[in-house]
Amino acid sequence: MVYVVSDSVGETAEMVTRAAVSQFNHGHLEIRRVPYLNEPEDIREIVEEAAGFASIIVFTLVQPNLREILVQEAGARNIRAVDVMGPLIEALGTITTTTPRLEPGLMRKVDEEYFRRVEAIEFAVKYDDGKDPRGIIQADLVVLGVSRTGKTPLCMYLAHKRIKAANIPLVPEVAPPEEIFTLPPHRLIGLNVNPQQLVDIRRERLKALGLPADAGYARSERVLKELAYARKVFQRSGCSVIDVTNKAVEETAGKVLEIYHKGERYRSE
């Protein structure tokens, strides 16, 4: 019998144990994982149980006091205890000045954050530029604005903060999805911008595409019409409005996250 003991999930210790057991053609050894051991009394109970079998204990306990208790209790009952994490943490300590955090489950937290970030990035791509209205209900945040107000870069930046954001372009000739009017205000962000700056941005965009810079898309009259329409949608939806004139995406995102998290805290109270 091999007891795999951890103050977290215990996946690391079990993986190492199974790799070692495989060298003995599995040897008909039973492996029992015991996760989330954070109290001395729990450790003593497991050691007492293990004493009733021909067994060893493989463990990943990051708290030094818990490691010490396990080693002492196992030694008193002649049970071999194998520390998977402790020696490596001590060895790393000899080549770095950083103090170990000694916090259980850190690797799992890092993995979860990574996959949430990937999921948010995929979401931002899938629901970019109003491609699919279903994203509105599924999103943590929905960004509204006329063309070239920086909706897509903002959503991608938010995705790296693990926020699933969709964006909807506002065009006077196309009614916005009705779903946006059902969202809480803190989950709906409208982007406004100085008209002349928007004209300049659109003209540069047209040039980059090899199109005439004086096309209707970049004319002042068209820009003013679109911005006026956007303001009506903002007012009807009750969304928070951010002026992105001369703002970097990081600055805009900071304001968006402040609005979002404040709203989430208010709803949870």
Side-chain angles (χ1 to χ4, degrees):
M1 169 78 78
V2 180
Y3 284 83
V4 175
V5 174
S6 177
D7 47 16
S8 183
V9 178
E11 290 178 345
T12 301
E14 182 175 356
M15 182 175 63
V16 172
T17 300
R18 291 193 180 279
V21 168
S22 69
Q23 298 298 317
F24 298 88
N25 295 322
H26 297 288
H28 306 292
L29 287 172
E30 181 180 349
I31 298 174
R32 181 189 171 194
R33 191 203 303 183
V34 186
Y36 302 115
L37 283 186
N38 296 291
E39 298 296 334
E41 190 55 40
D42 294 334
I43 290 175
R44 294 187 180 97
E45 288 180 7
I46 288 299
V47 173
E48 186 68 33
E49 179 182 326
F53 304 90
S55 62
I56 67 169
I57 299 175
V58 179
F59 64 95
T60 51
L61 298 170
V62 298
Q63 292 291 342
N65 64 312
L66 295 180
R67 292 205 304 266
E68 192 174 319
I69 290 171
L70 177 55
V71 170
Q72 288 178 351
E73 293 290 331
R77 291 167 176 76
N78 295 317
I79 300 173
R80 181 73 179 272
V82 181
D83 186 354
V84 174
M85 190 76 73
L88 182 55
I89 291 177
E90 291 174 7
L92 291 171
T94 65
I95 61 171
T96 178
T97 57
T98 304
T99 303
R101 293 169 62 176
L102 301 179
E103 181 180 338
L106 279 181
M107 189 64 189
R108 187 174 183 85
K109 291 177 184 177
V110 170
D111 286 345
E112 288 175 354
E113 288 185 3
Y114 170 78
F115 287 114
R116 282 187 62 191
R117 185 180 297 111
V118 171
E119 182 183 5
I121 291 171
E122 291 175 345
F123 186 92
V125 172
K126 183 176 181 179
Y127 297 109
D128 180 45
D129 210 27
K131 291 176 183 175
D132 188 341
R134 290 176 296 182
I136 295 173
I137 303 302
Q138 300 172 29
D140 297 320
L141 277 168
V142 176
V143 179
L144 307 175
V146 302
S147 176
R148 311 311 296 177
T149 49
K151 300 184 299 298
T152 297
L154 174 60
C155 289
M156 292 304 297
Y157 187 94
L158 293 170
H160 283 276
K161 300 295 184 182
R162 302 179 300 282
I163 298 292
K164 292 191 289 186
N167 72 80
I168 305 294
L170 298 179
V171 184
E173 293 78 13
V174 181
E178 285 297 317
E179 289 89 343
I180 68 172
F181 302 110
T182 67
L183 295 178
H186 75 282
R187 288 179 52 199
L188 195 60
I189 303 293
L191 302 183
N192 195 21
V193 67
N194 175 272
Q196 186 56 53
Q197 181 170 316
L198 185 55
V199 168
D200 294 340
I201 291 171
R202 288 188 175 186
R203 285 176 177 170
E204 289 301 318
R205 177 60 175 166
L206 290 172
K207 288 180 183 178
L209 296 173
L211 299 172
D214 60 350
Y217 173 73
R219 289 179 182 170
S220 296
E221 311 86 70
R222 175 65 189 183
V223 166
L224 290 171
K225 179 180 179 180
E226 289 187 23
L227 291 175
Y229 172 73
R231 285 194 293 272
K232 290 180 181 178
V233 175
F234 297 160
Q235 185 174 12
R236 180 187 168 194
S237 66
C239 69
S240 298
V241 180
I242 298 176
D243 191 328
V244 298
T245 305
N246 296 322
K247 283 187 174 65
V249 64
E250 295 87 352
E251 186 177 356
T252 302
K255 292 182 178 295
V256 171
L257 290 171
E258 182 181 346
I259 293 167
Y260 173 71
H261 289 305
K262 184 177 180 180
E264 287 293 286
R265 287 196 298 270
Y266 177 78
R267 286 169 64 86
S268 63
E269 290 177 354

